[in-house]
Each structure stands twice: as C-alpha cells, then as structure tokens.
C-alpha cells in the first residue's frame, strides 16, 4: 500500500490562524501541525508520498526533517489545480515507476 498525503491549499479559510505564508496544514491547531498528524498515521501503512505546491516546499521539507521522515517522496506542483489533477499526476508517476497495480490510500493534511 502506498499512502498519499494531499497537502495543498492557500491557507485562507481559517484566518487569522491560517494565513497564506502559514497555511492550516502547518499550524498547531490540535497540538501538532495537521501535516505532521497525517504523516504519523501514514507512516504506519508504508512510506508515504506527499503532493503539495511548490510554494510550500520550505515548510514541507522542514516538517519532514523535524519528524525524521526519511524516504518520503514529495511531488511539488508548480501551482495548485485542486484534487483531481494532483491525483492524475500521482497516477502517472506511479505508472512510470511500475507501480500501476499498487493500492493507494489518499489522505488530506487538513480539516
């Protein structure tokens, strides 16, 4: 099984806690960032992939380092285009890696 975390979004819905430069998946809303909580759950199933925007690269990599999450594959979209295109990119990448028959579990790093 390949766990996949969709971790995008502009961070404007939970303003003022969540902002464009610190979107909700990186805020400590429940004691830990939502991306961290999702990552912890996903690691129990296997090495996850994260699909997120290029603008969130620094925050994503910092979060992975802080959680010692090695081997996690991250796909950085040049700009967000919502869920369906993100999943389509994932499917293409898995196909290119010869993993077309793998089971994929998709979760989101936000509420």
């Amino acid at each position: 099984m390949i766990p996949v975390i969709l971790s995008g979004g502009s961070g404007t819905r939970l303003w003022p806690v969540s902002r464009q430069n610190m979107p909700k998946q990186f805020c400590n809303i429940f004691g830990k960032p939502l991306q961290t909580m999702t990552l912890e759950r996903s690691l129990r199933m296997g090495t996850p992939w994260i699909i997120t925007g290029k603008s969130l690269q620094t925050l994503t990599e910092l979060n992975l380092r802080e959680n010692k999450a090695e081997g996690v594959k991250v796909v950085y979209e040049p700009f967000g285009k919502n869920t369906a295109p993100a999943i389509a990119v994932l499917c293409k990448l898995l196909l290119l890696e010869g993993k077309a028959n793998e089971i994929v579990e998709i979760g989101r790093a936000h509420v």
Side-chain angles (χ1 to χ4, degrees), residues 11-32:
T12 57
R13 286 190 209 145
L14 291 176
W15 185 88
V17 173
S18 175
R19 302 165 309 282
Q20 192 167 7
N21 63 341
M22 181 60 75
K24 60 189 167 288
Q25 61 266 38
F26 299 102
C27 296
N28 291 330
I29 297 172
F30 299 107
K32 292 182 184 180

Side-chain angles (χ1 to χ4, degrees), residues 46-95:
T47 303
W49 288 52
I50 295 176
I51 302 176
T52 190
K54 181 75 174 155
S55 63
L56 301 175
Q57 182 172 356
T58 302
L59 291 170
T60 299
E61 291 178 3
L62 177 63
N63 191 43
L64 291 173
R65 274 194 308 276
E66 287 175 350
N67 289 288
K68 298 174 179 61
E70 297 176 12
V72 174
K73 293 191 176 189
V74 184
V75 178
Y76 295 106
E77 297 178 295
F79 47 88
K81 288 301 227 176
N82 293 321
T83 303
I87 292 173
V89 167
L90 170 71
C91 291
K92 181 64 175 181
L93 291 171
L94 291 174
L95 183 66

Side-chain angles (χ1 to χ4, degrees), residues 32-53:
K32 292 182 184 180
L34 296 170
Q35 189 183 71
T36 297
M37 294 168 60
T38 307
L39 183 62
E40 289 171 348
R41 289 190 310 273
S42 297
L43 284 167
R44 292 186 288 226
M45 294 183 280
T47 303
W49 288 52
I50 295 176
I51 302 176
T52 190

